[in-house]
Amino acid sequence: MVGRNDLCTCGSGKKYKKCCMNGSQSQKLTMNITEDDNYVAILDRGIMYKRAGHYDQARKYYIKAIQLYPKRSIAYYNLGKLLYIQEEYKAAVKSFKTALELGYDKTETMRHLGHALIDQDVSEKEAHIVATYRKMVDPYYRLQLQRAKESEMTEYDKRCVQSAISYMNEQVEI
């Protein structure tokens, strides 16, 4: 711990009490770097837990990242994917919508949003498409269903994006 009469840790050559003790710019900058590093570490931990199939732990870290920086989109996007994997479609829709509103990659997010919107009411005929997609999003989700053809996946993805576009347009009108 730095004493008030010690040299400031920012490297200015001044005493701490005359420099960063009262919250000067250099101290704020150091704190932001630490918080940014912490944010990335928290996100990485969430991704690690998701890849390991520890969804509850992953969710905790994504929520922690959102609490740290509620205006950054990536944690909402990752949380949306996790919620989708856990078949919590309404919550996934909300998370993807927030990621879009905060500026996350529109193409990818719209596709995931579309899946969250229509996969909850999928027909038995298209269940294997949803299973294939879920397996792509989460390698730990294993189902013994027929694998969808590339053309089926492409067509289904188009429907998902169209559903997401319609949904977002309805939100603007409200």
Side-chain angles (χ1 to χ4, degrees), residues 3-152:
R4 31 183 294 115
N5 289 316
D6 294 336
L7 287 178
C8 189
T9 58
C10 75
S12 68
K14 298 178 184 177
K15 289 187 178 183
Y16 182 66
K17 69 181 177 187
K18 297 282 186 180
C19 192
C20 291
M21 187 170 120
N22 295 321
S24 74
Q25 190 61 31
S26 59
Q27 183 183 26
K28 289 178 185 174
L29 180 63
T30 303
M31 286 176 55
N32 285 340
I33 291 169
T34 303
E35 287 176 0
D36 284 348
D37 290 344
N38 193 30
Y39 179 80
V40 171
I42 290 167
L43 277 178
D44 286 347
R45 181 73 47 98
I47 291 166
M48 179 194 70
Y49 278 121
K50 182 186 137 223
R51 287 181 180 159
H54 301 289
Y55 305 126
D56 291 336
Q57 285 296 103
R59 182 188 299 223
K60 287 177 188 174
Y61 280 94
Y62 292 146
I63 290 170
K64 194 174 188 178
I66 289 168
Q67 290 168 340
L68 185 60
Y69 280 113
K71 298 294 183 192
R72 290 194 181 173
S73 59
I74 193 167
Y76 291 98
Y77 173 77
N78 282 304
L79 179 61
K81 285 175 62 174
L82 177 70
L83 293 166
Y84 175 84
I85 290 166
Q86 293 184 304
E87 299 181 32
E88 295 182 37
Y89 298 114
K90 288 181 181 177
V93 165
K94 183 178 177 185
S95 196
F96 287 133
K97 181 177 178 272
T98 303
L100 282 168
E101 290 168 346
L102 293 173
Y104 199 73
D105 176 43
K106 189 172 184 176
T107 304
E108 192 66 19
T109 308
M110 289 293 277
R111 187 166 62 92
H112 290 307
L113 173 61
H115 274 280
L117 287 166
I118 68 174
D119 288 359
Q120 57 192 316
D121 298 320
V122 71
S123 69
E124 195 172 307
K125 180 182 171 189
E126 295 176 317
H128 68 288
I129 299 171
V130 174
T132 300
Y133 178 75
R134 190 173 293 122
K135 192 173 183 179
M136 287 174 15
V137 174
D138 177 18
Y140 291 95
Y141 190 85
R142 306 284 189 232
L143 288 178
Q144 301 301 319
L145 297 174
Q146 121 191 32
R147 179 153 176 85
K149 297 176 192 162
E150 186 71 31
S151 60
E152 291 175 311

